[in-house]
Amino acid sequence: ISADDKRLYTIPETAQVLGIGRTTVYDLLASGQLKRVKVGTRALIHADCIDEFVARLMAEQHPETIAELPAAA
């Protein structure tokens, strides 16, 4: 599996992908702004949840640019 095929991310990986700190990821999870799945005792974030979170931020902060973005495949 290549990095492009990766679907589940750990908290530190999610923080790195989003360019934020781990504490902020935990805060986003606690507030429900970011969703997680549990695999055993590990909390993992699905790539689609990361994409949806970013899309929500864009829609809230830059609604005029949403119409310009290509549709998700």
Side-chain angles (χ1 to χ4, degrees):
I1 295 177
S2 72
D4 292 337
D5 294 332
K6 187 169 181 146
R7 302 308 297 154
L8 294 173
Y9 293 88
T10 63
I11 302 294
E13 290 170 336
T14 300
Q16 183 177 13
V17 166
L18 291 172
I20 59 178
R22 288 180 305 142
T23 302
T24 303
V25 173
Y26 284 113
D27 291 343
L28 292 169
L29 290 167
S31 69
Q33 295 179 64
L34 194 57
K35 306 285 186 218
R36 66 160 170 79
V37 295
K38 294 281 281 192
V39 178
T41 59
R42 299 181 71 193
L44 300 170
I45 293 90
H46 195 279
D48 288 345
C49 294
I50 296 170
D51 293 341
E52 290 167 9
F53 171 72
V54 172
R56 276 195 315 275
L57 287 178
M58 287 296 295
E60 291 169 5
Q61 297 177 22
H62 303 284
E64 71 283 358
T65 62
I66 296 303
E68 300 170 11
L69 295 176

